[in-house]
Amino acid sequence: MFEIFDAYPYLLPIVIFFGRICDVTLGTLRIIFVSKGERYKAPIVGFFEVFIWVVIISQIFTHANSLLHYVSYAAGYATGNYVGILVENKIALGYILFRVYAKNNAHELTKELTNNGFGLTFVRGAGAVSEVDIIETVVMRKSYQKVVDIIKKFDPKVFYLVEDIRTKQKGIFAMTSAGGFPRPGK
């Protein structure tokens, strides 16, 4: 089946390298699917991950006398981790929670978030040295940069946290119009 590698031995390190990139990237995605509760996607991705790994490792054992094959395997693994992170950031699965602690009057921030279609909860709180406005909003991970830009525009030095959310239920996670929220202080 792999006689081509006997005829063209220089191809095997390249195949090993790219095979490892593929299987490690799939492994990264599988772990993400498991952590997000995607019980149907994780096994499918896992099947292809292991299939590629078995094919590659069989070639390593067949050609166990070559340091170049070992280096290709290790380099593919390292590169696969990097590529897996890039792919995961690009597809941005799931939801995140932004929690903003504003010392300034946060009414403008709530208006801006609401006008951009984000549901939110507003609470007054007591900080270590003064009162703070606490705003929480649950958004799709794909909206991360948009929310950060809105927050930074409001106050570049504001303190905020971002947390990953495994599950969510009900609530207002995105609006199609900007009129549905009562504004704090109004």
Side-chain angles (χ1 to χ4, degrees), residues 8-163:
Y8 304 100
Y10 60 87
L11 285 179
L12 185 55
I14 296 168
V15 170
I16 290 170
F17 176 75
F18 285 106
R20 281 304 279 165
I21 290 173
C22 291
D23 94 83
V24 173
T25 298
L26 290 173
T28 301
L29 292 176
R30 179 186 48 79
I31 290 167
I32 291 162
F33 288 145
V34 167
S35 72
K36 301 288 184 195
E38 298 280 349
R39 63 179 150 214
Y40 299 113
K41 293 178 184 174
I44 293 168
V45 170
F47 171 83
F48 289 104
E49 171 196 2
V50 170
F51 182 80
I52 293 168
W53 181 82
V54 166
V55 170
I56 296 301
I57 202 69
S58 72
Q59 291 305 303
I60 290 288
F61 288 142
T62 301
H63 301 86
N65 58 350
S66 173
L67 181 62
L68 180 60
H69 297 121
Y70 298 147
V71 171
S72 297
Y73 186 86
Y77 180 83
T79 306
N81 279 293
Y82 181 77
V83 171
I85 292 168
L86 291 178
V87 169
E88 192 276 333
N89 285 333
K90 194 72 169 169
I91 61 176
L93 294 173
Y95 291 84
I96 52 177
L97 167 68
F98 275 88
R99 188 174 296 126
V100 183
Y101 299 89
K103 292 180 185 175
N104 303 333
N105 186 330
H107 299 288
E108 288 302 315
L109 180 57
T110 60
K111 274 190 220 178
E112 192 63 32
L113 287 167
T114 301
N115 289 339
N116 280 278
F118 299 111
L120 59 90
T121 299
F122 176 90
V123 179
R124 294 285 296 161
V129 294
S130 65
E131 287 191 347
V132 292
D133 292 336
I134 304 168
I135 299 169
E136 292 185 348
T137 183
V138 176
V139 301
M140 293 178 68
R141 284 194 53 225
K142 292 178 181 181
S143 300
Y144 172 84
Q145 193 57 52
K146 184 175 183 179
V147 174
V148 168
D149 292 343
I150 293 168
I151 292 169
K152 294 287 187 174
K153 182 179 171 188
F154 165 72
D155 181 357
K157 296 182 181 179
V158 72
F159 176 70
Y160 65 92
L161 301 171
V162 181
E163 299 176 39

